[in-house]
mmCIF file of all heavy atoms in Angstrom:
data_model
loop_
_atom_site.group_PDB
_atom_site.id
_atom_site.type_symbol
_atom_site.label_atom_id
_atom_site.label_comp_id
_atom_site.label_asym_id
_atom_site.label_seq_id
_atom_site.Cartn_x
_atom_site.Cartn_y
_atom_site.Cartn_z
ATOM 1 N N ASN A 2 -8.987 -11.825 19.126
ATOM 2 C CA ASN A 2 -10.309 -11.404 19.572
ATOM 3 C C ASN A 2 -10.942 -10.461 18.547
ATOM 4 O O ASN A 2 -10.324 -10.047 17.571
ATOM 5 C CB ASN A 2 -10.237 -10.768 20.963
ATOM 6 C CG ASN A 2 -9.352 -9.533 20.969
ATOM 7 O OD1 ASN A 2 -8.953 -9.054 19.928
ATOM 8 N ND2 ASN A 2 -9.066 -9.048 22.160
ATOM 9 N N HIS A 5 -9.305 -6.972 17.986
ATOM 10 C CA HIS A 5 -8.079 -7.048 17.193
ATOM 11 C C HIS A 5 -8.404 -7.170 15.697
ATOM 12 O O HIS A 5 -7.793 -6.499 14.861
ATOM 13 C CB HIS A 5 -7.243 -8.239 17.659
ATOM 14 C CG HIS A 5 -5.940 -8.386 16.964
ATOM 15 N ND1 HIS A 5 -4.852 -7.613 17.268
ATOM 16 C CD2 HIS A 5 -5.560 -9.203 15.961
ATOM 17 C CE1 HIS A 5 -3.854 -7.954 16.483
ATOM 18 N NE2 HIS A 5 -4.262 -8.919 15.686
ATOM 19 N N ILE A 12 -7.422 -0.745 9.524
ATOM 20 C CA ILE A 12 -6.135 -0.406 8.910
ATOM 21 C C ILE A 12 -6.148 -0.756 7.421
ATOM 22 O O ILE A 12 -5.663 0.010 6.584
ATOM 23 C CB ILE A 12 -4.984 -1.102 9.643
ATOM 24 C CG1 ILE A 12 -4.796 -0.481 11.018
ATOM 25 C CG2 ILE A 12 -3.689 -1.010 8.851
ATOM 26 C CD1 ILE A 12 -3.771 -1.165 11.859
ATOM 27 N N ALA A 15 -8.215 1.769 5.570
ATOM 28 C CA ALA A 15 -7.450 3.015 5.425
ATOM 29 C C ALA A 15 -6.429 2.883 4.296
ATOM 30 O O ALA A 15 -6.188 3.839 3.555
ATOM 31 C CB ALA A 15 -6.757 3.363 6.734
ATOM 32 N N GLY A 20 -4.786 4.379 -1.055
ATOM 33 C CA GLY A 20 -4.429 3.953 -2.402
ATOM 34 C C GLY A 20 -5.220 4.678 -3.471
ATOM 35 O O GLY A 20 -4.666 5.120 -4.486
ATOM 36 N N GLY A 23 -4.014 8.205 -3.534
ATOM 37 C CA GLY A 23 -2.688 8.263 -4.134
ATOM 38 C C GLY A 23 -2.732 8.150 -5.649
ATOM 39 O O GLY A 23 -1.960 8.795 -6.353
ATOM 40 N N PRO A 29 3.364 9.409 -4.763
ATOM 41 C CA PRO A 29 4.078 8.190 -4.394
ATOM 42 C C PRO A 29 4.075 7.930 -2.888
ATOM 43 O O PRO A 29 4.102 6.778 -2.467
ATOM 44 C CB PRO A 29 5.497 8.417 -4.897
ATOM 45 C CG PRO A 29 5.585 9.786 -5.396
ATOM 46 C CD PRO A 29 4.225 10.385 -5.414
ATOM 47 N N VAL A 36 0.194 0.670 0.363
ATOM 48 C CA VAL A 36 0.676 -0.706 0.191
ATOM 49 C C VAL A 36 1.058 -1.306 1.533
ATOM 50 O O VAL A 36 0.757 -2.472 1.814
ATOM 51 C CB VAL A 36 1.863 -0.740 -0.798
ATOM 52 C CG1 VAL A 36 2.532 -2.084 -0.804
ATOM 53 C CG2 VAL A 36 1.386 -0.383 -2.199
ATOM 54 N N PHE A 40 -0.851 -4.638 2.963
ATOM 55 C CA PHE A 40 -0.134 -5.911 3.044
ATOM 56 C C PHE A 40 0.181 -6.376 4.458
ATOM 57 O O PHE A 40 0.246 -7.580 4.703
ATOM 58 C CB PHE A 40 1.158 -5.864 2.239
ATOM 59 C CG PHE A 40 0.950 -6.061 0.774
ATOM 60 C CD1 PHE A 40 1.578 -5.236 -0.131
ATOM 61 C CD2 PHE A 40 0.142 -7.066 0.298
ATOM 62 C CE1 PHE A 40 1.391 -5.404 -1.483
ATOM 63 C CE2 PHE A 40 -0.054 -7.246 -1.047
ATOM 64 C CZ PHE A 40 0.570 -6.417 -1.941
ATOM 65 N N ASP A 48 0.043 -15.394 9.127
ATOM 66 C CA ASP A 48 1.219 -15.735 9.933
ATOM 67 C C ASP A 48 2.481 -15.838 9.088
ATOM 68 O O ASP A 48 3.324 -16.704 9.292
ATOM 69 C CB ASP A 48 1.004 -17.037 10.716
ATOM 70 C CG ASP A 48 0.011 -16.877 11.832
ATOM 71 O OD1 ASP A 48 -0.081 -15.760 12.373
ATOM 72 O OD2 ASP A 48 -0.679 -17.856 12.156
ATOM 73 N N TRP A 49 2.614 -14.955 8.135
ATOM 74 C CA TRP A 49 3.800 -14.900 7.282
ATOM 75 C C TRP A 49 4.615 -13.653 7.613
ATOM 76 O O TRP A 49 5.052 -12.912 6.738
ATOM 77 C CB TRP A 49 3.405 -14.850 5.816
ATOM 78 C CG TRP A 49 2.918 -16.140 5.260
ATOM 79 C CD1 TRP A 49 2.685 -17.288 5.924
ATOM 80 C CD2 TRP A 49 2.592 -16.395 3.898
ATOM 81 N NE1 TRP A 49 2.226 -18.245 5.073
ATOM 82 C CE2 TRP A 49 2.157 -17.721 3.818
ATOM 83 C CE3 TRP A 49 2.618 -15.631 2.741
ATOM 84 C CZ2 TRP A 49 1.770 -18.298 2.635
ATOM 85 C CZ3 TRP A 49 2.229 -16.208 1.567
ATOM 86 C CH2 TRP A 49 1.811 -17.526 1.513
ATOM 87 N N ILE A 56 7.885 -5.925 2.161
ATOM 88 C CA ILE A 56 6.802 -4.986 1.891
ATOM 89 C C ILE A 56 7.343 -3.617 1.495
ATOM 90 O O ILE A 56 6.820 -2.982 0.586
ATOM 91 C CB ILE A 56 5.866 -4.879 3.109
ATOM 92 C CG1 ILE A 56 5.107 -6.180 3.269
ATOM 93 C CG2 ILE A 56 4.892 -3.728 2.959
ATOM 94 C CD1 ILE A 56 4.209 -6.216 4.458
ATOM 95 N N ALA A 59 8.303 -3.384 -2.184
ATOM 96 C CA ALA A 59 7.093 -3.426 -3.022
ATOM 97 C C ALA A 59 6.356 -2.094 -2.941
ATOM 98 O O ALA A 59 5.837 -1.606 -3.947
ATOM 99 C CB ALA A 59 6.182 -4.560 -2.560
ATOM 100 N N ASN A 69 6.013 7.539 -12.305
ATOM 101 C CA ASN A 69 6.388 7.419 -13.716
ATOM 102 C C ASN A 69 5.185 7.511 -14.639
ATOM 103 O O ASN A 69 5.305 8.011 -15.746
ATOM 104 C CB ASN A 69 7.125 6.115 -13.966
ATOM 105 C CG ASN A 69 8.588 6.238 -13.623
ATOM 106 O OD1 ASN A 69 9.096 7.335 -13.441
ATOM 107 N ND2 ASN A 69 9.255 5.111 -13.520
ATOM 108 N N LYS A 72 4.611 11.112 -15.525
ATOM 109 C CA LYS A 72 5.550 11.697 -16.473
ATOM 110 C C LYS A 72 5.287 11.233 -17.895
ATOM 111 O O LYS A 72 5.445 11.994 -18.825
ATOM 112 C CB LYS A 72 6.973 11.335 -16.085
ATOM 113 C CG LYS A 72 7.482 12.061 -14.864
ATOM 114 C CD LYS A 72 8.900 11.674 -14.573
ATOM 115 C CE LYS A 72 9.412 12.375 -13.338
ATOM 116 N NZ LYS A 72 10.787 11.992 -13.024
ATOM 117 N N ASN A 75 2.297 13.041 -19.998
ATOM 118 C CA ASN A 75 2.384 14.436 -20.368
ATOM 119 C C ASN A 75 3.312 14.681 -21.555
ATOM 120 O O ASN A 75 3.814 15.778 -21.738
ATOM 121 C CB ASN A 75 2.878 15.265 -19.155
ATOM 122 C CG ASN A 75 1.842 15.317 -18.063
ATOM 123 O OD1 ASN A 75 0.659 15.217 -18.335
ATOM 124 N ND2 ASN A 75 2.284 15.480 -16.841
ATOM 125 N N ARG A 76 3.540 13.700 -22.379
ATOM 126 C CA ARG A 76 4.426 13.876 -23.526
ATOM 127 C C ARG A 76 3.701 14.627 -24.644
ATOM 128 O O ARG A 76 2.522 14.412 -24.901
ATOM 129 C CB ARG A 76 4.871 12.529 -24.065
ATOM 130 C CG ARG A 76 5.809 11.815 -23.155
ATOM 131 C CD ARG A 76 6.294 10.574 -23.812
ATOM 132 N NE ARG A 76 7.114 9.813 -22.883
ATOM 133 C CZ ARG A 76 7.574 8.627 -23.139
ATOM 134 N NH1 ARG A 76 7.315 8.039 -24.280
ATOM 135 N NH2 ARG A 76 8.305 8.000 -22.261
ATOM 136 N N THR A 77 4.433 15.490 -25.296
ATOM 137 C CA THR A 77 3.875 16.199 -26.447
ATOM 138 C C THR A 77 4.782 15.976 -27.639
ATOM 139 O O THR A 77 5.979 15.738 -27.511
ATOM 140 C CB THR A 77 3.778 17.714 -26.163
ATOM 141 O OG1 THR A 77 5.079 18.207 -25.819
ATOM 142 C CG2 THR A 77 2.791 17.983 -25.038
ATOM 143 N N LEU A 78 4.231 16.077 -28.830
ATOM 144 C CA LEU A 78 5.023 15.879 -30.042
ATOM 145 C C LEU A 78 5.498 17.180 -30.614
ATOM 146 O O LEU A 78 4.964 18.200 -30.549
ATOM 147 C CB LEU A 78 4.190 15.138 -31.102
ATOM 148 C CG LEU A 78 3.813 13.726 -30.708
ATOM 149 C CD1 LEU A 78 2.902 13.128 -31.766
ATOM 150 C CD2 LEU A 78 5.059 12.881 -30.582
#
Side-chain angles (χ1 to χ4, degrees):
N2 61 10
H5 183 78
I12 290 175
V36 170
F40 280 134
D48 289 330
W49 286 6
I56 291 177
N69 277 346
K72 287 181 181 179
N75 291 332
R76 290 185 185 174
T77 57
L78 295 175

